[in-house]
Amino acid sequence: MPMNEKQEMIIRRALELGLRAYPVKTAGIPVENRARIKCEYGCRGYGKRLSCPPHIMDIDEFRKILHEYDNALLLIEEHDMSHEPDIFRAWSFLRRGSFHRMLELEYLAFREGFTYAQLLRPGACNECDVCAEKCRKPELRRFPPEAVGINVGKIMDTVGETFVFCDPADIKCVGILLIE
């Protein structure tokens, strides 16, 4: 099966899982140094998760790796949680399930011949309540796009999607599946 057909099959599976999937060229993925500032100076979990800064590669290293890919899928799962008064609680609850659906696509891509398929997950890992000194589930350890400088709002704009932080009626779990 040619790569285009394989990508289309992955997109169909994403739809079956309740995800929207948009093919994007990696050259158009906006990687900005300022995006990581929100991790270091805005996230109450900074330094607490092994899937987030400062425990992961830096932005420049990620840029080099990103140049080795040509294609990616922007993955989006949308939820209306307006009934939930605590948006952070809602986000914690949603991102785990969303991550597992997206991870299924990474595994599928790998089985279909995309040897270097790699998912950037929605939000920080929350597979365990607290990270140990060494990751207890390294097979599930993935980092979020923002942690390596990806401006999620800008990439969503390129596919006609909107991204609003802290709107309980429009929570979007966003991942990026790098495929090559």
Side-chain angles (χ1 to χ4, degrees), residues 53-73:
H55 306 290
I56 63 167
M57 70 182 75
D58 64 32
I59 293 173
D60 289 332
E61 185 179 352
F62 177 72
R63 276 190 185 103
K64 291 175 189 171
I65 292 169
L66 188 62
H67 286 302
E68 296 177 12
Y69 289 87
D70 288 325
N71 301 295
L73 293 176

Side-chain angles (χ1 to χ4, degrees), residues 88-99:
F88 293 110
R89 182 173 171 225
W91 170 242
S92 267
F93 170 75
L94 295 172
R95 72 179 188 228
R96 179 184 272 173
S98 183
F99 164 66

